[in-house]
DNA sequence: AGTGTATCCTGCAGGC
DNA sequence: TGCCTGCAGGATACAC
């Protein structure tokens, strides 16, 4: 199985289903969407009990994990790159990396929503506030408790937030000049920039009009503001759309994101480029698919 | 410095 | 109908 067919589907499905990616990749917009969904519910809530269904997502034995959190209150809900950061009242953080299929959802005590199919960890909240459920089909996600020093070390190792003030054209220009990595690989490296995964990397390269395999130091200077703008634009649009619609992905309230319909390149192999009509191509490098328009994204 | 491979895990498409 | 295989991906470790 190669090319378009690997992300396509049998004839007979609607065009939307045929072209929309159907694999979960929670990236910055999905994490942001979940954070926004949890923010009204978690701050101030006490963790009354922690039950683990799948210990393998925890950073320590389940009993230790539960003991470390029980009785503590959530203070704030944040995000760092693709990770959710739940700050506790004692300044520790519960850092949730969603991996490939993780999601974090709040369930009120009397919820009419169907129960989660693959719960991995459940946090029972005090004051009849229901529960916080970490749900993860594939369990590539991780939940780590970090004290303030560990948190600082961890967050310092990540690159800047692409939607934050440190991600500037000047910074980008300087960093790109230091590396021979292909653009897609560079964007995926969380130490360079935090929050971009395989879906949005293809989208960003498309919007910027740059081939994903171009070594970043060879990107012409005049293209760098365009890449900077494309990065922000794609991520902002996706945040506004509440993430990409993917089979496994749901927001904290159980909604589906809308960005899947707006994808320009990812998952569209064989379909016409929305800009020029040329067929979108799927290539594989570094063991991952990238999607591009061979006309719009010629190597500079 | 960068690439490729394997690992964790599950669902699902496709072949038979 | 169902079994089997391959594939998808984030992060990481490791060999080259």
């Amino acid at each position: 199985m190669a090319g378009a067919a690997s992300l396509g589907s049998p004839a007979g499905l609607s065009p939307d289903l045929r072209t929309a990616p159907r694999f979960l990749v929670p990236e910055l917009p999905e994490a942001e969407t979940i954070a926004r969904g949890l923010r009204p519910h978690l701050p101030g809530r006490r963790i009354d009990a922690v039950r683990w269904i799948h210990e393998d997502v925890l950073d320590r034995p389940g009993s230790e994990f539960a003991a470390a959190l029980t009785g503590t209150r959530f203070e704030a809900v944040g995000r760092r790159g693709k990770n959710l950061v739940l700050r506790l009242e004692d300044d520790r953080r519960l850092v949730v990396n969603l991996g490939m299929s993780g999601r974090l959802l709040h369930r009120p005590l009397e919820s009419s929503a169907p129960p989660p199919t693959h719960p991995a960890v459940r946090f029972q909240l005090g004051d009849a506030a229901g529960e916080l459920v970490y749900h993860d089909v594939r369990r590539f996600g991780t939940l780590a408790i970090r004290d303030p020093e560990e948190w600082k070390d961890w967050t310092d190792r990540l690159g800047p937030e692409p939607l934050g003030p440190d991600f500037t054209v000047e910074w980008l220009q300087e960093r790109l000049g230091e590396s021979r990595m292909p653009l897609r690989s560079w964007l995926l490296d969380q130490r360079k920039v935090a929050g971009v995964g395989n879906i949005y990397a293809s989208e960003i390269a498309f919007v910027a009009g740059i081939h994903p395999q171009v070594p970043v130091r060879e990107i012409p200077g005049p293209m760098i503001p365009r890449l900077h703008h494309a990065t922000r634009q794609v991520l902002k649009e996706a945040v506004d759309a509440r993430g990409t619609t993917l089979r496994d992905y749901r927001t904290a309230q159980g909604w589906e994101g809308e960005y899947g319909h707006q994808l320009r390149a990812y998952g569209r192999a064989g379909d016409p480029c929305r800009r020029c009509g040329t067929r979108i191509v799927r290539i594989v490098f570094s063991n991952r698919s990238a999607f591009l328009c061979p006309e719009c994204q010629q190597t500079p």
Side-chain angles (χ1 to χ4, degrees):
Chain A
M1 187 57 53
S6 70
L7 279 168
S9 59
L13 295 184
S14 72
D16 276 352
L17 287 176
R18 209 179 58 245
T19 55
R22 301 192 307 287
F23 299 100
L24 166 69
V25 188
E27 306 183 27
L28 184 156
E30 289 73 27
E32 178 64 28
T33 302
I34 291 174
R36 290 179 182 183
L38 293 177
R39 211 159 272 144
H41 303 289
L42 285 192
R45 296 301 184 192
R46 191 184 60 246
I47 302 169
D48 271 2
V50 179
R51 282 172 294 166
W52 62 97
I53 296 94
H54 292 292
E55 196 170 33
D56 54 1
V57 301
L58 305 177
D59 68 341
R60 64 196 76 193
S63 55
E64 291 178 27
F65 184 86
L69 293 177
T70 302
T72 311
R73 286 179 192 274
F74 289 114
E75 189 150 296
V77 177
R79 177 190 60 74
R80 181 76 173 95
K82 309 171 184 178
N83 305 271
L84 288 159
V85 181
L86 309 182
R87 185 160 54 85
L88 305 169
E89 59 184 341
D90 56 14
D91 225 28
R92 290 180 300 161
R93 267 93 170 164
L94 176 58
V95 178
V96 180
N97 183 307
L98 299 167
M100 281 207 17
S101 54
R103 58 218 208 207
L104 204 49
L105 47 115
H106 173 250
R107 276 179 67 83
L109 216 47
E110 295 166 26
S111 174
S112 56
T117 53
H118 294 71
V121 189
R122 315 182 84 117
F123 303 82
Q124 185 188 325
L125 305 173
D127 306 315
E131 62 173 347
L132 175 71
V133 180
Y134 178 67
H135 178 282
D136 194 344
V137 173
R138 273 155 247 187
R139 301 207 304 283
F140 281 21
T142 53
L143 283 72
I145 303 166
R146 302 190 192 280
D147 66 30
E149 283 181 22
E150 293 169 331
W151 157 256
K152 187 182 186 318
D153 290 344
W154 179 83
T155 192
D156 284 353
R157 282 198 292 271
L158 292 179
E161 288 292 325
L163 296 181
D166 296 336
F167 183 73
T168 63
V169 173
E170 294 71 26
W171 177 90
L172 186 59
Q173 181 142 24
E174 191 175 327
R175 291 294 154 156
L176 295 179
E178 297 168 349
S179 174
R180 289 185 171 88
M181 284 175 98
L183 174 59
R184 200 274 309 267
S185 305
W186 195 90
L187 289 169
L188 288 182
D189 186 342
Q190 304 298 296
R191 295 166 301 186
K192 305 287 196 296
V193 179
V196 179
N198 207 34
I199 295 177
Y200 296 111
S202 272
E203 296 299 293
I204 290 166
F206 176 89
V207 172
I210 303 173
H211 195 289
Q213 280 181 298
V214 171
V216 292
R217 61 151 58 169
E218 292 175 21
I219 295 173
M223 297 286 280
I224 293 176
R226 198 168 153 183
L227 175 59
H228 178 266
H229 183 258
T231 303
R232 293 217 196 218
Q233 182 191 341
V234 165
L235 295 174
K236 274 184 196 166
E237 283 177 2
V239 167
D240 289 346
R242 289 191 272 108
T244 299
T245 299
L246 295 170
R247 187 190 55 220
D248 290 341
Y249 173 68
R250 300 294 183 274
T251 60
Q253 279 83 20
W255 305 324
E256 292 192 17
E258 301 293 337
Y259 197 72
H261 306 293
Q262 299 177 39
L263 289 173
R264 298 160 170 95
Y266 187 87
R268 298 193 66 242
D271 292 343
C273 171
R274 300 195 199 281
R275 188 186 284 149
C276 76
T278 303
R279 282 173 181 271
I280 297 292
V281 167
R282 171 182 178 263
I283 62 174
V284 175
F285 64 100
S286 301
N287 279 330
R288 292 209 180 143
S289 298
F291 298 86
L292 66 131
C293 171
E295 182 66 28
C296 297
Q297 295 168 264
Q298 294 184 17
T299 305

